[in-house]
Amino acid sequence: MNMKKFALLTAVLALLVSCGSGDRGELVGVKGKKWHPEKPYGMTLVPGGAFIMGKSDDDLAGVNDAPTRTATVRAFYMDETEITNSEYRQFVYWVRDSIIRTKLAILADEIGKTPDDGGIGEFAFKDADTANMSVYEKYMMDNYSGLGPTGYEGRKLNRDIDLIFDINEYPDEYYVEVMDTMYLPIEESYNGMRTWDVDKFKFQYTFMDFQKAAKNKNLRRKDVLITEEVKVYPDTTAWIRDFSYSYNEPMHNDYFWHDAYGDYPVVGVSWKQANAFCQWRTMYKNGDQKQRGKQFVNSFRLPSEAEWEYAARGGLQGATYPWGGPYIKNDRGCFMANFKPLRGDYAADQALYTVEADAYEPNDFNLYNMAGNVSEWVQGSYDPGSYEYAATFNPSVNDIRNQRKVVRGGSWKDVAYYLQVSSRDYEYQDSARSYIGFRTVQDYMGTEVTANARTK
């Protein structure tokens, strides 16, 4: 084909494409789906804006790690309460059940059991029924099966059938075999009862090191992907380990799993476990979004230091506490938070340990217990001088080499100084304490700002 004929054919094709598109050749943009922000369940919208970050009063402790500065943050959603035992148990149970389902499916595949056999075959991988596979599923199975450490990565679990936990209703010996591997050995049974081997409750996820990617644009994606595997069960021994010569065995035995404490904040969770929870919550939500044909939501994550302090202030400038201050009692003489008042009278605020996550009055952003109850992990690493060099908009300092991670808000065992919205403290990222919990945030898709930040 000569160049004249080629140019003529190209022009005709361009004309046909233009006529068929309906846009008359104008730049109208790609027609996407309409986006309507949906407030996540249990969260409140914190409108973006500027505030004075740091100590507004004298730093009586003399730490001098929070000098005042103006900081601006974008809008975000934040959990109204700390993550509760009940909410964290949902994560733990999902991880446990996924491991059981994977073990059942692998064994069913190895012994050739398929659905409708009334036994372990009911829990076979969904692609075990090859007759009902889609073209895509068949292609993926033919080309990618056998990859990964186990050779079963990417295969879909059958979550449509309920797991069976009553030993009298186990369907066959293969099911018994799998369930037996999930419990501690009989010789380690406690008071005649076998308990879960919680060390097997591991959650694996992959994330991208954006800081590393930004420093070297020549790196490939595989070079900045990091895979983490985290044991998700809380460290309940923290109740005993944190306080020597103190009788806290009842809290160790009951606090996490008993329904009496379901609405209390989860503790004994490390910074790494809190991040794993965020990853799971994002995956869990987007799995539902995909099923309903909706766009994915932004990731859930831990708040930055600036976001946490801005949210804790509740729109009050220069306040000492989330309710303002400078006092820790209201006009009726009642304490405003759960902490260690009156030189160690823990019960003076009506609580010895933690209280329900929605106890006491919320601040003006409708956030509960931003002071007291449990301290909260944030995303940042602790550096006494970070306020001096962090950016003034969306400031965040998180050095993966620095294992000291910031905790904020003070707890049931802390004096009032740590309840101040500007006070900073830290703990090591692998540590789990009986007085540290967390709450999550999610970026807001839009430009919602406070009234004083809008231009007229």
Side-chain angles (χ1 to χ4, degrees):
M1 182 183 295
N2 60 37
M3 290 303 296
K4 278 190 175 183
K5 288 184 178 180
F6 178 76
L8 180 60
L9 180 58
T10 303
V12 171
L13 288 174
L15 181 62
L16 289 173
V17 170
S18 176
C19 292
S21 62
D23 57 18
R24 298 188 178 184
E26 300 294 344
L27 184 64
V28 297
V30 176
K31 299 298 182 183
K33 297 179 181 178
K34 290 185 177 180
W35 170 254
H36 300 287
E38 177 183 344
K39 184 175 80 70
Y41 180 77
M43 292 185 130
T44 189
L45 177 62
V46 179
F51 73 110
I52 305 299
M53 186 177 178
K55 289 287 182 187
S56 53
D57 301 321
D58 290 337
D59 188 357
L60 299 179
V63 181
N64 298 319
D65 62 351
T68 55
R69 57 179 304 204
T70 300
T72 305
V73 296
R74 55 174 294 164
F76 56 94
Y77 293 108
M78 177 176 258
D79 289 319
E80 293 177 352
T81 69
E82 298 127 345
I83 296 299
T84 64
N85 284 317
S86 176
E87 291 169 333
Y88 195 84
R89 279 204 302 266
Q90 183 181 354
F91 171 42
V92 172
Y93 290 170
W94 186 95
V95 171
R96 178 201 65 188
D97 293 355
S98 296
I99 294 171
I100 294 174
R101 290 183 186 280
T102 301
K103 285 174 172 279
L104 289 170
I106 290 176
L107 183 55
D109 190 79
E110 289 176 347
I111 62 179
K113 297 292 185 179
T114 55
D116 302 323
D117 76 339
I120 195 177
E122 301 291 339
F123 301 89
F125 289 110
K126 276 202 165 184
D127 57 24
D129 183 7
T130 55
N132 295 317
M133 290 176 63
S134 68
V135 175
Y136 174 79
E137 290 172 337
K138 188 174 186 310
Y139 176 87
M140 296 299 289
M141 184 174 181
D142 291 343
N143 289 275
Y144 294 99
S145 62
L147 298 180
T150 68
Y152 290 92
E153 274 67 25
R155 308 227 8 216
K156 291 183 179 179
L157 297 176
N158 181 9
R159 298 185 184 273
D160 298 332
I161 184 170
D162 294 335
L163 292 173
I164 302 168
F165 295 101
D166 187 339
I167 59 175
N168 297 314
E169 297 182 3
Y170 286 172
D172 58 27
E173 62 192 74
Y174 301 112
Y175 193 96
V176 179
E177 178 184 338
V178 168
M179 293 300 288
D180 185 56
T181 66
M182 295 299 296
Y183 289 92
L184 290 172
I186 291 180
E187 59 269 23
E188 296 182 27
S189 61
Y190 187 69
N191 288 338
M193 294 180 60
R194 294 190 69 185
T195 55
W196 295 107
D197 185 354
V198 295
D199 283 342
K200 292 182 177 178
F201 296 178
K202 298 177 182 179
F203 179 71
Q204 187 180 95
Y205 64 94
T206 302
F207 65 96
M208 186 178 294
D209 185 348
F210 290 105
Q211 297 298 326
K212 184 178 179 180
K215 289 178 181 178
N216 187 349
K217 64 181 182 180
N218 295 320
L219 292 175
R220 300 185 63 183
R221 177 171 295 226
K222 66 177 182 179
D223 298 323
V224 294
L225 290 178
I226 299 175
T227 298
E228 290 273 7
E229 185 174 72
V230 180
K231 295 179 182 179
V232 301
Y233 200 85
D235 183 359
T236 57
T237 63
W239 285 104
I240 299 173
R241 186 180 60 254
D242 289 344
F243 306 99
S244 300
Y245 310 109
S246 177
Y247 177 64
N248 294 312
E249 278 79 353
M251 301 299 281
H252 163 269
N253 294 337
D254 302 327
Y255 184 76
F256 176 64
W257 71 269
H258 201 287
D259 288 336
Y261 296 102
D263 294 330
Y264 286 58
V266 67
V267 296
V269 174
S270 69
W271 183 83
K272 284 192 171 185
Q273 288 174 314
N275 275 285
F277 176 91
C278 294
Q279 294 284 340
W280 166 80
R281 187 176 182 184
T282 304
M283 180 202 69
Y284 192 67
K285 177 61 179 177
N286 281 332
D288 181 72
Q289 292 288 103
K290 184 177 181 180
Q291 279 191 336
R292 294 191 292 151
K294 292 191 173 184
Q295 288 182 306
F296 283 180
V297 301
N298 271 332
S299 298
F300 293 94
R301 56 181 176 81
L302 294 179
S304 67
E305 264 201 276
E307 288 172 331
W308 189 96
E309 184 172 329
Y310 177 70
R313 291 180 178 276
L316 300 177
Q317 293 284 8
T320 304
Y321 301 102
W323 53 84
Y327 305 109
I328 53 177
K329 290 185 177 181
N330 61 18
D331 54 5
R332 300 186 301 277
C334 300
F335 286 105
M336 299 287 286
N338 177 20
F339 67 114
K340 178 184 176 182
L342 305 178
R343 297 181 181 270
D345 185 354
Y346 288 94
D349 55 10
Q350 309 302 311
L352 176 57
Y353 298 105
T354 57
V355 293
E356 291 90 342
D358 60 353
Y360 300 95
E361 292 295 318
N363 70 3
D364 288 346
F365 284 155
N366 200 43
L367 301 170
Y368 293 84
N369 287 305
M370 294 299 285
N373 210 21
V374 293
S375 298
E376 299 175 13
W377 290 113
V378 299
Q379 191 62 32
S381 302
Y382 179 77
D383 180 343
S386 61
Y387 281 25
E388 302 291 346
Y389 61 80
T392 55
F393 63 97
N394 300 320
S396 178
V397 177
N398 185 32
D399 184 354
I400 61 174
R401 297 167 298 178
N402 184 353
Q403 297 187 15
R404 298 189 302 176
K405 303 304 180 183
V406 177
V407 292
R408 289 293 207 118
S411 73
W412 58 270
K413 64 88 184 173
D414 288 318
V415 296
Y417 171 81
Y418 290 102
L419 271 62
Q420 297 179 11
V421 291
S422 54
S423 291
R424 307 175 69 198
D425 200 2
Y426 70 88
E427 187 54 79
Y428 287 90
Q429 64 184 27
D430 292 324
S431 298
R433 299 295 186 185
S434 59
Y435 45 83
I436 299 179
F438 68 101
R439 72 180 80 207
T440 68
V441 298
Q442 183 192 66
D443 292 321
Y444 175 76
M445 298 281 241
T447 55
E448 184 74 15
V449 294
T450 53
N452 64 355
R454 292 194 182 100
T455 56
K456 295 182 178 179

